[in-house]
Every structure is written in structure tokens, then in C-alpha cells.
Amino acid sequence: MEINIGTKTVEESNEFLRCLWAEMGKEFGQCGWNYNPGKNGAEQRVFFGNMHINQDFPIAVSISYKNKGSINNIYFLSTIKSYEIEKGTELYGRFKKVIKATRKNIGKHEEYLIESPIKSNHPLMPYKGNNFEIKLISQEGGFKVRLKIKAYDKKQASHYINKLFGELMDFLSVETDDIFWSDHKDIDYDKLEFEETFLERELMDPNFLIWGHRAISKGGKQFIDILTDSNRKDDPNLNLFLKACNHFHTARMQEEQISKGYENEDIKKIGTSQTEVATTLYLSALEVVSLIDFKEENCKCCGQPKYEISSRIINMVSNYISDSFGDLFKKFYEQRSDYLHQGVKLITKTPWEFINPQLDVNADNLCEYPHNIQLSYLRECVGYCLRSFYKDKFLE
């Protein structure tokens, strides 16, 4: 069965598909998937997989496109050879009905109010924006986030909320220097009330807490409102920044494991090896965010793209901190590259009392020398750059 759709852009196509799957669920009682996507470039076809809609057999669904991201036609095919979805059959008519309802209902979202408890080392102060509310619910690091989500059905709302809560926790890690995780336990917390309190952090500012609580900046509240706006359009630059936040948050969690260790003493001894992982991720956060507004050039000799990763990181650090810090991060990035591509360790575990002077032709001073990138120092510099960047780029 073939039906013409005629969307032109990926945004238009995805909005149509979201509405379509919701209408399928309404018409057939369910719309489940054996999702197994594939592309046939020669025929300009995309195969989604098999759709389950309360029939005796799955429905194979695919689309054709004129340009990537568009939908020319959509195809519903029976997975049973003896049954074809032909014009005049009941199933054919129901599919036509669903497509008609989809065209009519595109953009008509339902609003869902969803809240979820989140934990951190220190509880977050309460805040209320246009699109979100954060309420303190526990002295032991717990707070509740309430969001308004617009979607075509509850299933899609759940998908959005999982993604959004992950992005929110990643951003809060950059903003507050803490780690965050979902708390699915159904606990009746005592609700505590505070007035909104903001903290504008400077570089190497030790005053992270207010009355034992984490606080965000006024810009942080503005950014969360942008992040949680159901009407916001997809922004590649914002997506890149959030990916950088994820690198930072993952590194911060690795660092937390290193500093606090584990209950199992044998596993605790392994924790120091995570320094390389955390260091790599902190530096990678700057690498990702420096892609924003970067205009790629090709080498005049070989024609290959010039990514200039080291220069991008140095420029960002120099811009937000100082030239001397930029030079320091150039060395950090070189060490990270040596670790990733040559296996050169970022930390030396040999105690000072056991050091014997040795030569090293790869060292700046031609001597073997114990080295270690201090994670807390690196984290503070990277976090400060990310916080400065989003306020410059995304806030009015």
C-alpha cells in the first residue's frame, strides 16, 4: 500500500511521523515497533521496521524520499505473502483514515505535567520559571523537578521527558559543579520552602554552597527555561552545547568515584585509573562546544578538512580566562592526544621518594618527571568556560 505524503524538510517530516504514530495508536489500540531501520540509497528508500497494531501480522513500514529528510511516499506492507493490503480492504481504509486524521491534527499537542525526583550530593535550591519548577523535598540531597511537556500522546511525552531530564541534569552539573541522578523511589519527603537565591560564580570561587545547598545563577535559570520550552525548535548549536555538558557531567561522576571510592576495597584500588577517562572527557567537552560556529576549511595541499581542534580549545580558554591559561590547556590537550593515540599515561604513579633521575627525549625538559593533571583544577576551568559560553551564546 502506497500513500503520497509530500513533506519537504526533516523537521516537517518528523512532526508528521510523530503525529502519525499517535494516530495509529488511537485507531488500532496500540502502535508498537520492532524497530530495525535501514536505507537503500539507490532506490531512495528508508525502512523503519515492523509495526504492531493489533493485527494478526506485523506491518512493514518504509518511506521514499526525494532529498534526505523529506517523505515522498509512505508504504505499508503485509509481512504475510498471502495477504496484500489492497484498495477496498478494511485495513486499507483504516490506514487512509489514519493519514487523513494525521494531516488534520498535526501541531495539536496535548500538555502533560510531569514531575520526577532527582538526587545530588547537595540539594538544589528551589526555582520556578515559565516552563519548570524545582522544589526542595529532602535535606539529604533530594529535590523534585516539574515540567510541562507537549506531545501527541503519553508514550511520546515519556520519551521526551527521559531525554529532557538527562539534558537538565547534565546542565546542572556544569552550573553547580555537582553530580545528579534520577531517584525513582516513591518516598514521602518533607517539603521545605526557600526563596529563590542565585549564585554568580567566579573562576576558582570556593563558595559553592549557600546554607548547604547548591544554587544556580540568574543566567542558569534563563537557560533552563530555554531548555524546557516545549515550543522551542531544534537548534544544532544548543544540541552541541548539551553534548558538551554530558561530557562534563560524565567526567564529574568519574571524578566522584575516584575521590569517594567504593565499598569494595579491591575495586577501590582500580579507581585511580579513571583519572585518564575523566581528564579526557573534561577536555573533550571544550572540543565539542568549540565546534559551535566553527567554519571548516580544507587543506590547500591535500584537500582534507582542517579541524584545528587544539587551536579552538586554546582560543576558547584564552577568551574566557587568559592567554596563560590557553597555553596551559594547549599542553593539556597535547597530553590528551598522546594518551588517546599513543597510550602515554596522563598520570605517573611512581612516588617521589622512589624517583631516580632519567632522560626522556619526548619531555620538554628532556627528563623523566612525575606528572599529574589535577582534576579539580581542570574541572573548574572547563566548567567556567562552559558557563561563560552559554551566557554569551544562548542568553539575551
Side-chain angles (χ1 to χ4, degrees):
M1 177 180 180
E2 175 184 349
I3 303 177
N4 180 256
I5 303 302
T7 58
K8 305 296 184 182
T9 66
V10 66
E11 293 80 12
E12 184 184 1
S13 298
N14 281 333
E15 189 68 23
F16 174 86
L17 291 175
R18 283 190 287 267
C19 187
L20 175 62
W21 309 139
E23 292 297 330
M24 284 288 182
K26 293 176 184 177
E27 173 65 24
F28 293 98
Q30 76 170 76
C31 182
W33 283 93
N34 178 10
Y35 189 43
N36 185 27
K39 183 188 78 169
N40 185 330
E43 296 183 5
Q44 293 187 302
R45 293 282 289 267
V46 173
F47 176 70
F48 289 136
N50 293 330
M51 180 174 62
H52 301 273
I53 51 172
N54 280 330
Q55 301 298 299
D56 294 333
F57 49 86
I59 305 295
V61 184
S62 62
I63 60 105
S64 62
Y65 60 90
K66 291 183 178 180
N67 57 278
K68 291 181 180 179
S70 68
I71 301 177
N72 187 31
N73 296 318
I74 191 166
Y75 302 86
F76 302 108
L77 302 175
S78 168
T79 54
I80 298 179
K81 292 183 179 179
S82 60
Y83 185 92
E84 297 296 335
I85 308 173
E86 297 178 345
K87 190 174 182 179
T89 62
E90 179 189 4
L91 190 55
Y92 183 96
R94 294 181 76 180
F95 277 139
K96 292 285 286 185
K97 176 184 176 182
V98 168
I99 295 295
K100 183 178 179 180
T102 300
R103 296 188 190 279
K104 178 182 177 181
N105 294 323
I106 284 180
K108 297 179 181 179
H109 302 98
E110 298 288 337
E111 187 171 271
Y112 298 89
L113 185 63
I114 299 177
E115 59 182 28
S116 177
I118 292 177
K119 295 292 288 294
S120 57
N121 285 330
H122 298 86
L124 192 65
M125 296 288 266
Y127 299 94
K128 186 174 183 179
N130 296 322
N131 308 307
F132 76 95
E133 184 176 8
I134 296 174
K135 300 193 73 173
L136 185 65
I137 53 178
S138 171
Q139 290 281 20
E140 286 74 40
F143 58 95
K144 184 177 291 186
V145 178
R146 177 179 294 176
L147 303 176
K148 293 179 181 178
I149 298 295
K150 291 182 179 179
Y152 287 107
D153 58 24
K154 289 183 179 179
K155 185 177 180 181
Q156 292 184 20
S158 297
H159 169 76
Y160 296 151
I161 206 67
N162 287 335
K163 178 176 180 290
L164 192 53
F165 269 110
E167 294 172 339
L168 176 61
M169 289 188 286
D170 291 338
F171 172 72
L172 286 175
S173 180
V174 170
E175 181 73 4
T176 68
D177 204 42
D178 208 339
I179 62 172
F180 299 85
W181 63 96
S182 296
D183 182 15
H184 299 292
K185 296 179 181 179
D186 187 15
I187 300 175
D188 186 18
Y189 294 110
D190 292 330
K191 296 183 179 180
L192 303 175
E193 299 293 339
F194 289 86
E195 291 187 3
E196 283 192 345
T197 305
F198 298 100
L199 178 64
E200 307 295 333
R201 290 174 53 192
E202 299 296 332
L203 181 65
M204 305 300 176
D205 186 353
N207 298 317
F208 292 161
L209 301 176
I210 297 178
W211 305 314
H213 296 74
R214 296 288 185 188
I216 62 176
S217 64
K218 290 183 179 179
K221 179 182 174 180
Q222 285 182 259
F223 185 85
I224 294 175
D225 248 338
I226 294 172
L227 179 63
T228 56
D229 184 358
S230 293
N231 295 317
R232 73 176 171 90
K233 295 182 179 180
D234 188 58
D235 182 351
N237 289 339
L238 181 61
N239 292 338
L240 275 175
F241 176 73
L242 292 172
K243 290 176 181 178
C245 290
N246 179 256
H247 276 342
F248 182 95
H249 193 194
T250 305
R252 182 65 185 85
M253 288 187 282
Q254 293 289 320
E255 186 183 353
E256 188 76 5
Q257 290 178 328
I258 296 168
S259 62
K260 291 192 174 180
Y262 301 83
E263 294 181 2
N264 186 311
E265 288 298 321
D266 290 331
I267 300 179
K268 184 177 180 180
K269 296 174 184 177
I270 304 173
T272 53
S273 66
Q274 295 168 322
T275 302
E276 273 88 0
V277 177
T279 300
T280 299
L281 286 169
Y282 279 135
L283 290 169
S284 295
L286 288 185
E287 179 179 336
V288 171
V289 80
S290 67
L291 282 169
I292 296 176
D293 293 334
F294 171 69
K295 295 181 179 179
E296 180 184 300
E297 296 180 0
N298 293 331
C299 176
K300 295 180 180 179
C301 297
C302 65
Q304 294 298 312
K306 295 167 60 179
Y307 295 107
E308 302 176 349
I309 301 173
S310 178
S311 297
R312 298 197 323 252
I313 291 176
I314 294 167
N315 290 340
M316 175 167 287
V317 176
S318 298
N319 180 44
Y320 287 120
I321 305 180
S322 70
D323 290 339
S324 60
F325 275 83
D327 293 338
L328 180 62
F329 267 74
K330 178 182 179 181
K331 186 175 181 180
F332 286 166
Y333 182 76
E334 289 171 350
Q335 288 178 294
R336 190 206 74 158
S337 296
D338 290 343
Y339 167 66
L340 289 175
H341 304 301
Q342 302 178 39
V344 179
K345 291 185 177 180
L346 294 172
I347 59 172
T348 301
K349 297 180 182 178
T350 306
W352 274 94
E353 59 266 28
F354 297 129
I355 286 294
N356 291 304
Q358 299 280 290
L359 295 177
D360 183 353
V361 295
N362 295 314
D364 293 339
N365 54 13
L366 296 182
C367 292
E368 183 180 289
Y369 194 80
H371 57 275
N372 184 18
I373 297 178
Q374 188 176 352
L375 278 179
S376 59
Y377 181 83
L378 179 63
R379 179 220 320 145
E380 177 58 23
C381 292
V382 172
Y384 182 80
C385 287
L386 293 177
R387 291 190 294 273
S388 301
F389 179 86
Y390 85 75
K391 291 173 183 176
D392 281 350
K393 181 66 180 177
F394 301 110
L395 304 186
E396 295 181 357

